[in-house]
Amino acid sequence: MNVVDVTTEGRVGVLTLNRPGALNALNMQMLDEITVALDRFEADPRIGAVLVRGSARAFSAGADIKESQPRRFPQVFVENWQAGWSRVADCRLPMVAAVNGYALGGGCELAMSCDLVIAGQTAKFGQPEVTLGVIPGMGGTQRLTRAVGKAKAADLLMTARMMDADEAERAGLVSRIVPDAQVDDTAMAAAQTIAGFGRTTMQLLKETLNAAFETPLAEGLRVEKLAFHSCFATPEQAEGMAAFAAKRAANFHHE
Ligand code: CAA
């Protein structure tokens, strides 16, 4: 069964994350399906923008913790695990994220990998990885810091608190806030507007926009990936993810 619904509407390619039972947690199957769809959209001259959306309850609650729990450092490091998600940020078409509900961990990172973020009034953003004994591994330490500045990024990354849509917009993470019920339509209208302009123009624009944002990002991402993989060598990761699976509070201090 597919976990991403792939459709088109006019010149917009639409990816709808569809794992409602897991709050659209991002597993490897989802990455595979997104990668195939983005390849297809990029190769299709009739597509001028991509819309990514989740459900009313969750855009995505992050990387799939159940899939992450058994992993250990040598494996994740050698495989360069989660590196494939850079495919989203590397997409050459403009991307619009329509965010309702939770955008946490990898979900927040997925939204930040898009160009525009249209959020519902009750959307919630956060990077709660430390509660699991790990750090973000899909660009969060770099993209969040560049988007909202070091002080707020440190607050979110280190305390694991969520921020609401208003705070996220004030901080520069969100392009526009609209009532929850209007998120999909507003994001689709923005995507259709973008797709209505020249495709080459838009691709050149995206490249330059990203260059302003990303120049020394590659180095930061390399450092982040190494640190993220290293988390899987720690007892904190084992404890944090086991606690989540057992629906109990994590105890990181066994001394
Ligand atoms: N991975 C796997 N399953 C998840 C999940 C995740 N990230 N988030 C939620 N789920 C599952 C829950 O286990 C639960 O499944 P069951 O019904 O089978 O038990 C289902 O989705 C519904 O979740 P809850 O019952 O927890 O719903 P809630 O409304 O009580 O809480 C929530 C919502 C606050 C978002 C809570 O689900 C939560 O804290 N989720 C985890 C958020 C998180 O820590 N994300 C970071 C992941 S790590 C990461 O992303 C690393 C990286 O950078 C690559």
Side-chain angles (χ1 to χ4, degrees):
M1 206 177 81
N2 284 4
V3 292
V4 181
D5 296 333
V6 181
T7 53
T8 58
E9 204 172 311
R11 289 181 53 79
V12 175
V14 183
L15 303 177
T16 306
L17 309 185
N18 188 12
R19 293 188 74 204
L23 301 185
N24 288 329
L26 308 170
N27 62 7
M28 290 299 106
Q29 183 187 348
M30 202 173 255
L31 173 60
D32 288 345
E33 291 179 23
I34 288 174
T35 301
V36 169
L38 291 180
D39 287 347
R40 208 187 90 200
F41 290 150
E42 280 183 348
D44 184 346
R46 291 167 302 180
I47 299 297
V50 179
L51 176 69
V52 187
R53 64 188 176 200
S55 64
R57 196 165 160 219
F59 177 71
S60 167
D64 189 316
I65 301 167
K66 291 160 194 168
E67 202 176 63
S68 308
Q69 189 185 353
R71 297 193 176 242
R72 292 295 170 265
F73 173 75
Q75 180 195 14
V76 294
F77 178 64
V78 169
E79 282 176 10
N80 204 8
W81 184 56
Q82 298 290 25
W85 285 100
S86 63
R87 176 69 184 90
V88 176
D90 290 341
C91 179
R92 300 187 72 212
L93 294 169
M95 296 193 64
V96 180
V99 178
N100 262 321
Y102 295 109
L104 301 177
C108 186
E109 292 167 300
L110 178 62
M112 291 190 293
S113 295
C114 296
D115 301 297
L116 273 71
V117 179
I118 308 293
Q121 275 163 334
T122 65
K124 297 237 177 312
F125 297 83
Q127 298 285 163
E129 282 85 349
V130 291
T131 67
L132 300 164
V134 298
I135 66 168
M138 288 160 54
T141 63
Q142 307 301 299
R143 289 199 177 90
L144 185 66
T145 310
R146 281 167 169 75
V148 306
K150 188 180 174 203
K152 192 166 286 288
D155 184 8
L156 292 162
L157 289 160
M158 291 181 169
T159 71
R161 78 172 175 89
M162 294 183 209
M163 70 177 164
D164 63 21
D166 279 331
E167 184 180 0
E169 192 201 26
R170 280 198 308 275
L173 186 69
V174 159
S175 313
R176 297 186 221 167
I177 304 176
V178 295
D180 291 349
Q182 290 171 26
V183 168
D184 281 356
D185 286 351
T186 306
M188 178 58 82
Q192 294 288 3
T193 299
I194 292 166
F197 295 117
R199 203 187 197 235
T200 314
T201 313
M202 209 44 77
Q203 288 192 359
L204 287 166
L205 180 61
K206 176 161 179 163
E207 286 220 11
T208 48
L209 189 65
N210 281 349
F213 189 70
E214 288 179 358
T215 316
L217 179 65
E219 182 57 15
L221 290 173
R222 196 188 63 75
V223 171
E224 178 194 80
K225 195 67 78 239
L226 181 57
F228 172 64
H229 292 160
S230 302
C231 293
F232 287 78
T234 68
E236 285 92 337
Q237 177 265 343
E239 166 62 10
M241 293 192 179
F244 181 84
K247 297 185 186 289
R248 62 171 173 79
N251 176 5
F252 295 120
H253 306 286
H254 293 291
E255 67 275 353

